[in-house]
Amino acid sequence: MRLILLGPPGGGKGTVAKELEEEFNIPIISTGVILREEIERKTRLGKKVQNIMSKGRLVPDEVIIEIIRERIKREDCKKGYIFDGFPRNIEQAEFLEELNRELGKYIDYVFYFEIPFPKVIERLTNRRVCKKCNTNYNLLFNLPQKDNICDICGGELYQRDDDKKETIKNRLKVFTEQTLPLKKYYQEKNLLAKVDANCNRNALFLEIKKILGGL
Ligand code: AMP
């Protein structure tokens, strides 16, 4: 099963991706997580993208394309994958289509996470992420049991650089201009399923599972 989770930052894609990964035993491919790991490891790529990401802009397509081309061919993707944060623009979507054509594969579903921007801003400013396993928490509605410690792996929680208010505004502008056109793109390919992301995570996951049940 090959899935794309599409929607604004803070819409709950990362959280749903984790649940889908557990339920269907297919890996999450999150370009944001991969890039943040590069920054953490202070690699050449990490140094190249750090400034771009802290401003909330998109990393150049050729960087993303290289990451995806390499990642998608690994053994664990044989049964499928969940894209979180990719594709981010039409060019990336066209690249994916071409790559899948080469590999004889196809995307099963693109889930579009519908959620109003004010809600997204509230969620992002209160988001905390585990440094070790990338699980998301929220200071308003999904607190860890112990302050600043991940319930799952005991890792330390932190606030992402780009979850600060000034950067969030820019990320939403980038989303509207570059990523939102993908909604129409996938609608026209009959792959889009809109889901209500302005609700609790259980309800959202159930909605997605119900749609996938039809596969
Ligand atoms: P995310 O974790 O998906 O919110 O991504 C965090 C940041 O990583 C974005 O604001 C971009 O700077 C960069 N990024 C992640 N995925 C992509 C992508 N597919 N294309 C370009 N930039 C990306």
Side-chain angles (χ1 to χ4, degrees), residues 59-205:
V59 165
D61 287 343
E62 55 278 16
V63 170
I64 301 295
I65 283 172
E66 252 344 282
I67 290 175
I68 297 295
R69 195 193 295 283
E70 190 274 326
R71 181 67 188 86
I72 212 176
K73 288 181 182 164
R74 285 202 223 150
E75 188 65 25
D76 65 338
C77 290
K78 279 233 163 88
K79 271 173 55 189
Y81 46 71
I82 307 149
F83 279 134
D84 166 14
F86 172 85
R88 247 351 198 259
N89 59 26
I90 299 282
E91 291 73 21
Q92 292 180 14
E94 284 173 345
F95 154 75
L96 176 63
E97 207 174 322
E98 184 57 40
L99 181 63
N100 269 338
R101 198 172 300 131
E102 268 172 42
L103 299 171
K105 307 279 192 226
Y106 54 87
I107 294 295
D108 293 290
Y109 267 112
V110 179
F111 290 102
Y112 184 79
F113 286 50
E114 303 262 21
I115 182 162
F117 279 7
K119 195 81 200 172
V120 157
I121 294 168
E122 184 189 89
R123 281 193 188 182
L124 287 175
T125 46
N126 288 291
R127 175 160 75 179
R128 298 294 180 270
V129 186
C130 173
K131 268 189 180 168
K132 255 163 91 185
C133 74
N134 293 305
T135 298
N136 288 329
Y137 292 85
N138 194 288
L139 300 181
L140 294 181
F141 56 82
N142 181 24
L143 278 165
Q145 277 164 15
K146 281 193 214 151
D147 269 3
N148 275 323
I149 303 289
C150 176
D151 293 345
I152 295 165
C153 75
E156 191 190 335
L157 306 189
Y158 77 110
Q159 181 174 33
R160 276 171 48 174
D161 231 18
D162 56 353
D163 278 349
K164 313 261 158 76
K165 232 181 181 150
E166 321 77 67
T167 314
I168 291 172
K169 256 173 80 182
N170 198 35
R171 285 164 73 198
L172 291 176
K173 183 168 177 273
V174 169
F175 170 77
T176 305
E177 290 171 0
Q178 305 198 44
T179 310
L180 198 56
L182 289 175
K183 194 176 169 188
K184 186 160 171 262
Y185 177 91
Y186 284 119
Q187 208 156 24
E188 285 172 359
K189 293 185 185 294
N190 277 326
L191 288 175
L192 198 83
K194 286 185 237 166
V195 289
D196 178 12
N198 192 14
C199 60
N200 72 52
R201 53 191 277 185
N202 291 340
L204 174 58
F205 185 53

Side-chain angles (χ1 to χ4, degrees), residues 28-41 43 45-46 49 53 67-68 70-71 74 134:
I28 302 170
I29 304 181
S30 162
T31 38
V33 168
I34 294 170
L35 292 167
R36 279 190 291 280
E37 279 168 4
E38 295 284 336
I39 293 175
E40 182 74 19
R41 287 178 17 233
T43 62
L45 174 59
V49 299
M53 286 174 69
I67 290 175
I68 297 295
E70 190 274 326
R71 181 67 188 86
R74 285 202 223 150
N134 293 305

